[in-house]
Structures are given as structure tokens and as C-alpha cells.
Amino acid sequence: MPRYTVHVRGEWLAVPCLNSTNTIEWLGKEAVRRYMKNKPDNGGFASVDEVKFYIRRCKGLGLLDLDDTVGDALEDNEFVEVVIEGDIMSPDFIPSQPEGVHLYSKYREPEQYISLDGNSLTTEDLVNLGKGLYKIKLTPEAEAKVKQSREVIERIVKEQTVVYGITTGFGKFARTVIPNSKLRELQVNLVRSHSAGVGKPLTPERSRMLLALRINVLAKGYSGISLETLEQVIEAFNASCLPYIPEKGTVGASGDLAPLSHLALGLIGEGKMWSPKSGWADAKYVLEAHGLKPITLKPKEGLALINGTQMITSLGCEAVERAGAIARQADIIAALTLEVLKGTTRAFDTDIHAVRPHRGQAEVAFRFRSLLDSDHHPSEIAESHRFCDRVQDAYTMRCCPQQREGAGFHLAGFTGNFFCIGVKVVNWMVFAEREETISGGNFHGEYPAKALDYLAIGVHELAAISERRIERLCNPSLSELPAFLVTEGGLNSGFMIAHCTAAALVSENKALCHPSSVDSLSTSAATEDHVSMGGWAARKALRVIEHVEQVLAIELLAACQGIEFLRPLRTTTPLEKVYDLVRSVVRPWMKDRFMAPDIEAAHRLLVEQKASVWEVAKPYIEKYRREHIPESRPISPTAFSLGSLRVNADVSHDHRHQDEL
């Protein structure tokens, strides 16, 4: 018998349907009738017939025709929503679709798997798991280790040994021994009581990363979780059943207790859960719709699910990947701006950077040469000012390698190396070979918190420098271009307020870059007397990075607009390719129009992998590397350490200005 899960005014109702020829209107009325039945005042309605409503799918929010039959319009176990006319949406209402769910509108269940053993997962793998590109399975070695560690727990329970978190309470209650008959209840109570987070839920991508990283840690075989339970967690991940996880509430001390508890709460069939099929609904209904059963926690398993720094680390991995991506593309955008402002490439000479051999600085200078070397990529714009009387460019152009863009590259390298380790960190330890458990402190978030604070400070500089270049593009006394990059100035304002937006984002980043990890508040009755505040470090690092992406999107638009005023002259081949990419989504600014969509379109070009600014320019950069650095190999898009980069490699010099002081 088909059954549908129907949302009415914040409540989820299971509605069976005996006859598939019943209409969508019948389904809506039956759901409203059941809703009224549960309300003392009938929900404010005199009868079902007086209720006017429309119905939409939770997946994609498509409207349904009331005259269609349920058999024709819906699948079994589908989730729908009854929207009653005249209702004013409560501000705390959980919508059927979370923010950013348009990214899931084309969701397709992946066919490929990543095998987890707890040791091999990379930051790139984790981000791809978050995007829904893979399912998960365990390696045979991981399965064996999980079984071995569980045997230790079973022995402790059988022998009634007093061990923290297994046969005792938690935190201040560590000395309270729990009888065997209540050990399962102890674990459920732990998950329920610790699910005390607040704020918006994590996006599906971030929830998937968090769940995937938790599976990875459990796969190491040190947590004491049973293989049966871990397999249930993996099944939920593979079905994209993602619990409601508020983003706020962790101090990053005994792990990310609040967010991981919300994760576990959904897995035991309580709280809210989201899947591409259902949207938001009660967890038990979402699991049931995917043929899954709620997890029944065994002794120690609640603690195994919630004790770790996986929220800090998973968000940190996203931050590392995005920081690396925007740092690479910042070099390309800066090179384009330098062309538009008729700057010189002399400042990127190999010998200059060999004297100060910072790897990040050298790589940034190399990228500028690979894009602007006039012997390799002739530029009509460069030729137009070869014998001009200017001898120096502003710092934000000639000092790009030294000024934080080189530093930001190095910061990303440091942080990236740390998070490659962080994805493998294990916390509360069960050593099967020693047949004992040890309570230590690997769950403390101090390391990732410090690394993320460091990353935010470094990446911020990309936007700070970019905003100064936007000013130079928009200011006619500095650019020799029309004011605010538009004709008929006064009638048109052009990029005037786009620059203001960039300035606002940079200023906000300055406050966000105050390190969260310097703060601490004692919690858990002074048992956790020094905490990391790593959750906030991760969230604000991501916010800083998003602002950096948006500022650079504005500079990208402004630089491309500047090229319009230099036509018919053309820039180098790789930069023309970047220009063409931008113009494929944003037309030239001939007169004022709604600008926000253009900024968003340019932002997407910086964050989408398949059609990004980096992917357009990368082949030219790597070809130049092969031709100018003997025995060189391409640098991975996700690599942060430059290893044996030769900072004194030979390269042709480009004399664009007559002299340099």
C-alpha cells in the first residue's frame, strides 16, 4: 500500500493511500484532516472543506496539480508539503530545502565508491564526498580492526569493569557507575542531552563531509563501535540521509560534542533529517523512505559517534581546498589587472625572487611570468606602452609575490599539510592489541583552531590587495580609464558601488581575522577547563574565504571591463581566454544595469571546478613550466607545498618600461 509523508504547518504526517486513483487534492485534505485531529482547536479550522491549499513536492518544490492522481504524480514514500493559503511563515520554520540546495537540484546518486581505511583519505577526497560524487565502503582491513576493538568493549561490559563512558557517566559524572541494565540507555541519553546546538543547519555538502569524516575515523578501529552499527552509518551516508546539524554550539574541547550529537541523533531516528528525496522531515520518516532502520546504540557507541573534532576538521578541509583554489586564481586576476593598468613584468624577474627564496613568493612570480612573458605570449597591450615614461608600479601590482599573495600561498601550504593529518586523527582510544582502553586528549581542537586562524589571516590579504587594485581600476587618475569603468559617467555609475562592496567585505574580514583560538571558557564543571573554540575558527575562516572570493570576482569583472576601453588591442593568449570565459556569462558594461547577478556569475567562475578561471589558465601555466623549468612536473591543483621548485630558473625578461628604479 503506497504511503506518503506530508508536511502541514511544521508537522510531518504519514498518510497511507489505499487507492492510487485518489487525487492530489484528496491527499491534501486527508493530511489536513489528520493535522486537525491532533489539535485541540482543530488547528483553527471549522472543517476540512474550508481549508484552501496548494501542494508541492519537497524535492525541488515543484507544484502539483490537485486534479492529478497520486499514482500518476507521486512515487511511493514520496515527501510532499501542504501550503495553506493565508498562512504567514513562522521565522523559525525549517524549510523543506536548506540554503544552497540548488546545488542538489541535479543530484544523481553516485556509482563510484571510495574505500576508507582511516588512513588514506585526503582533503580533496573529503570535499568530493561532500559534493556527493562518491559512496563509501570499508576496506577488509578496516572491518577487521573494527571487529577487534569491539571485542574489547564487549569484554569490559561482560566483566563489569569500571571504564569511563562505557560503565560510567560523562564529564563531572565520571565517577558514577552505571548498572549493566542501563548501559544502552546511557548512550541514548548522552546523544539526546548533548544535542544542544543552535543556529542554521549545515548545508548538505558540509553535513556529508562531517558524516564521511566521522566514518573515516571510526574505520581506524580505535573507537569500539560495532561493525554492524558502522555499516548502518555508511548506509545512511550512501543514501544521502543527512541529520539536522546546527552550526553553532561547539567549543572544540572534548571534540565537537554538540554537532556530532545532532549527527548521531538523526541516525537513531530522532530529530530532523534531509535527503534529496525528502527535503527536511522527521528522521524516522526519511530513514524509512530509504529502506533504512534507526541505529540501536550498544554500550559505548554513543560516545564513539560524538567524541571527535570532525566538524572543525571537515570545515577546515573545505577551507583549505577553497583557499588554495582562490589563491591560484588571485594570481591570474592580478595579472589581468596589471595588463589593463599597463604595468611591467620586470618585478617578477627570476633573479629577484632567487635572492629572497620563499617558495610561495617564487611560485606567484612564476605564474605572472607564465601569463605575461611577452616573448612567449605576445601582447598588443604591452607593446602599446613599451617605451612609456613610467618607471614603477604600485605595490599591489609589483609586490604581489611578496605581499601576502606569496605569504598566503605558504599559509595554505602549512594549513593543508596539517589537515591532511587531521582527517586521520583518532580520539577516545580502544587498543585491541593491548586489550585495554585509554582516555586521552586527541579530541582537543587546539591544533586545527590555530591552523584555521592562521589560514584566515593569510587568505584575507588576497582580498585586501585585490580591493586596492579595484580602486586603481576605477580611479581615472590612476588608471587612465574612464571613471568607474563606464561611459557617460554621471548618467551611469558603473563600478562605483561594486568597489564599495569590496571595501565592505575587506573591512568585515579584518574583524573576522581576530583569532578565536586565543579565547577559552571553562566548561563541564571545570573538567574541560581550557577549550579551543575551534568550531568558530572553522566557520569564520570559511566566511573570510567566501568574502575573498567575492572581492576577487569584482576585480575580475572590473579588469575585463577595463579591457573594453583598450580594444582593439589584445592581451596575452591565456588572459584572452580568461576574458572570453568571463564574457560567456557576463556581457560588457555599456550602461548601468542590475549588477549583483554579474558578481554572482563571476563568483561561480572562481568556485566551480569544471569551468573556473584556473582551469582556463592552467594549461598555459603548466606548458610554460615544462618549457622553462627543466625536468619539472605539473603541480597538482590541490598541492600546497612546492617542494623542489627551482627559483633561479632561466626565463626571458620583458622590458615593458624603459627603466626601473
Side-chain angles (χ1 to χ4, degrees):
M1 177 177 62
R3 196 207 67 173
Y4 306 99
T5 305
V6 186
H7 185 266
V8 182
R9 285 184 169 178
E11 293 189 9
W12 289 95
L13 305 163
V15 180
C17 182
L18 296 173
N19 190 344
S20 61
T21 61
N22 287 335
T23 64
I24 297 295
E25 182 178 20
W26 169 88
L27 179 63
K29 286 187 174 182
E30 180 62 17
V32 171
R33 185 189 69 77
R34 290 169 181 254
Y35 169 81
M36 292 171 57
K37 182 180 179 181
N38 293 331
K39 299 295 179 183
D41 62 349
N42 288 331
F45 302 117
S47 69
V48 173
D49 292 332
E50 76 168 30
V51 181
K52 295 182 178 180
F53 57 83
Y54 61 91
I55 299 181
R56 62 189 179 193
R57 282 189 171 88
C58 290
K59 179 183 178 181
L61 302 180
L63 287 176
L64 296 169
D65 191 316
L66 297 182
D67 293 330
D68 285 345
T69 65
V70 294
D72 291 336
L74 300 175
E75 298 176 3
D76 188 17
N77 271 334
E78 189 156 354
F79 288 69
V80 296
E81 186 170 29
V82 173
V83 181
I84 297 173
E85 290 185 7
D87 274 2
I88 298 174
M89 196 65 70
S90 170
D92 59 357
F93 172 69
I94 301 173
S96 293
Q97 309 290 341
E99 290 184 24
V101 81
H102 63 277
L103 300 175
Y104 265 59
S105 60
K106 298 181 180 179
Y107 176 81
R108 295 290 182 271
E109 186 174 322
E111 296 180 358
Q112 292 182 296
Y113 284 81
I114 282 183
S115 296
L116 296 186
D117 58 8
N119 299 308
S120 306
L121 187 68
T122 67
T123 57
E124 184 180 9
D125 290 337
L126 186 62
V127 172
N128 285 333
L129 283 166
K131 293 175 181 177
L133 302 183
Y134 301 100
K135 291 183 179 181
I136 285 174
K137 62 182 178 182
L138 297 179
T139 64
E141 295 78 10
E143 291 181 351
K145 289 181 179 179
V146 169
K147 289 179 180 179
Q148 290 170 4
S149 70
R150 185 61 199 176
E151 289 172 0
V152 176
I153 302 300
E154 297 293 348
R155 178 181 56 78
I156 289 171
V157 173
K158 183 178 180 180
E159 296 176 0
Q160 299 184 4
T161 308
V162 177
V163 178
Y164 175 79
I166 303 177
T167 56
T168 75
F170 307 95
K172 192 69 174 178
F173 299 118
R175 296 183 180 180
T176 303
V177 178
I178 309 299
N180 273 21
S181 61
K182 294 191 176 182
L183 293 185
R184 291 177 182 268
E185 184 181 353
L186 171 69
Q187 300 301 313
V188 174
N189 287 347
L190 173 70
V191 171
R192 288 171 176 164
S193 65
H194 285 43
S195 297
V198 297
K200 295 180 180 178
L202 297 181
T203 62
E205 288 80 5
R206 290 175 181 171
S207 296
R208 282 178 62 89
M209 283 198 302
L210 179 59
L211 183 53
L213 190 54
R214 193 66 202 148
I215 293 169
N216 186 64
V217 168
L218 296 173
K220 291 182 75 71
Y222 290 107
S223 71
I225 198 168
S226 68
L227 182 59
E228 176 191 4
T229 297
L230 182 53
E231 287 175 340
Q232 284 185 271
V233 177
I234 293 171
E235 287 174 353
F237 176 89
N238 289 342
S240 200
C241 294
L242 307 172
Y244 182 99
I245 306 168
E247 63 180 7
K248 300 177 184 178
T250 177
V251 295
S254 191
D256 294 315
L257 291 174
L260 287 173
S261 295
H262 281 276
L263 183 72
L265 190 72
L267 296 173
I268 67 174
E270 299 184 15
K272 301 292 182 183
M273 185 173 272
W274 184 89
S275 79
K277 175 179 180 178
S278 67
W280 285 115
D282 289 345
K284 61 181 179 181
Y285 292 140
V286 177
L287 291 170
E288 185 178 336
H290 291 81
L292 304 176
K293 293 181 180 180
I295 290 172
T296 301
L297 296 175
K298 304 177 182 67
K300 172 64 171 67
E301 291 192 325
L303 188 62
L305 287 171
I306 75 170
N307 203 209
T309 57
Q310 278 67 61
M311 177 164 169
I312 302 172
T313 308
S314 61
L315 296 185
C317 288
E318 180 187 345
V320 165
E321 290 292 315
R322 288 175 65 176
I326 197 59
R328 292 190 297 271
Q329 294 178 109
D331 300 337
I332 299 166
I333 296 168
L336 186 60
T337 295
L338 185 136
E339 269 282 270
V340 172
L341 295 176
K342 299 181 178 180
T344 178
T345 62
R346 291 291 300 277
F348 312 117
D349 187 285
T350 307
D351 291 338
I352 291 176
H353 302 284
V355 173
R356 189 185 183 189
H358 293 295
R359 283 188 249 176
Q361 175 182 327
E363 174 65 11
V364 172
F366 170 81
R367 288 178 185 167
F368 273 79
R369 294 195 303 274
S370 70
L371 296 168
L372 297 171
D373 184 344
S374 61
D375 291 336
H376 200 75
H377 298 299
S379 166
E380 294 173 349
I381 294 175
E383 281 299 316
S384 73
H385 64 93
R386 180 178 288 275
F387 301 107
C388 66
D389 58 1
R390 287 187 292 120
V391 294
Q392 282 189 333
D393 293 325
Y395 282 179
T396 52
M397 289 161 36
R398 65 180 160 116
C399 298
C400 281
Q402 297 89 344
Q403 267 184 326
R404 304 303 185 250
E405 296 202 9
F409 192 98
H410 187 65
L411 285 170
F414 165 80
T415 314
N417 290 336
F418 170 81
F419 277 96
C420 284
I421 298 171
V423 295
K424 304 161 190 172
V425 169
V426 182
N427 302 292
W428 205 95
M429 309 287 283
V430 178
F431 293 98
E433 65 277 10
R434 293 168 56 174
E435 295 188 352
E436 64 178 311
T437 64
I438 302 177
S439 179
N442 282 351
F443 48 64
H444 204 285
E446 191 78 8
Y447 282 145
K450 286 285 191 289
L452 286 162
D453 283 339
Y454 193 30
L455 179 65
I457 292 168
V459 155
H460 155 72
E461 289 300 322
L462 299 177
I465 298 168
S466 175
E467 182 274 330
R468 289 292 79 207
R469 290 194 297 260
I470 296 170
E471 157 71 9
R472 303 192 75 81
L473 287 164
C474 291
N475 188 334
S477 64
L478 301 174
S479 68
E480 302 177 6
L481 297 169
F484 304 112
L485 300 169
V486 72
T487 56
E488 295 188 81
L491 175 63
N492 296 301
S493 297
F495 280 69
M496 181 188 296
I497 303 306
H499 173 232
C500 290
T501 298
L505 294 172
V506 169
S507 183
E508 188 171 329
N509 272 1
K510 292 175 184 177
L512 290 170
C513 283
H514 176 79
S516 63
S517 58
V518 300
D519 184 30
S520 177
L521 284 173
S522 178
T523 59
S524 193
T527 301
E528 300 163 3
D529 55 349
H530 184 273
V531 302
S532 72
M533 299 300 176
W536 173 226
R539 290 192 295 112
K540 72 182 182 65
L542 282 168
R543 190 182 300 181
V544 167
I545 292 166
E546 182 177 33
H547 291 168
V548 170
E549 293 166 348
Q550 291 164 337
V551 171
L552 282 159
I554 293 171
E555 183 187 355
L556 178 61
L557 290 176
C560 289
Q561 181 63 15
I563 285 181
E564 305 299 338
F565 297 102
L566 301 178
R567 291 301 193 209
L569 300 179
R570 295 178 65 80
T571 181
T572 66
T573 300
L575 294 182
E576 283 289 344
K577 294 294 184 181
V578 172
Y579 169 87
D580 291 342
L581 175 66
V582 174
R583 286 291 171 252
S584 71
V585 296
V586 177
R587 67 183 189 276
W589 194 270
M590 306 307 294
K591 61 180 181 179
D592 281 352
R593 63 175 185 264
F594 184 19
M595 181 171 271
D598 290 354
I599 297 173
E600 175 59 28
H603 184 206
R604 286 198 298 272
L605 293 181
L606 300 179
V607 298
E608 293 183 356
Q609 290 180 330
K610 292 184 179 180
S612 68
V613 167
W614 172 252
E615 289 302 317
V616 167
K618 177 186 174 183
Y620 297 93
I621 295 172
E622 295 306 333
K623 183 174 186 289
Y624 192 86
R625 191 186 306 279
R626 291 191 299 271
E627 294 176 357
H628 291 79
I629 303 181
E631 299 179 1
S632 67
R633 289 177 295 178
I635 290 183
S636 166
T638 57
F640 295 96
S641 175
L642 296 178
S644 58
L645 178 67
R646 294 175 58 185
V647 297
N648 63 339
D650 292 332
V651 64
S652 300
H653 295 174
D654 186 356
H655 302 278
R656 299 202 176 191
H657 299 329
Q658 288 179 326
D659 295 294
E660 288 257 30
L661 290 181

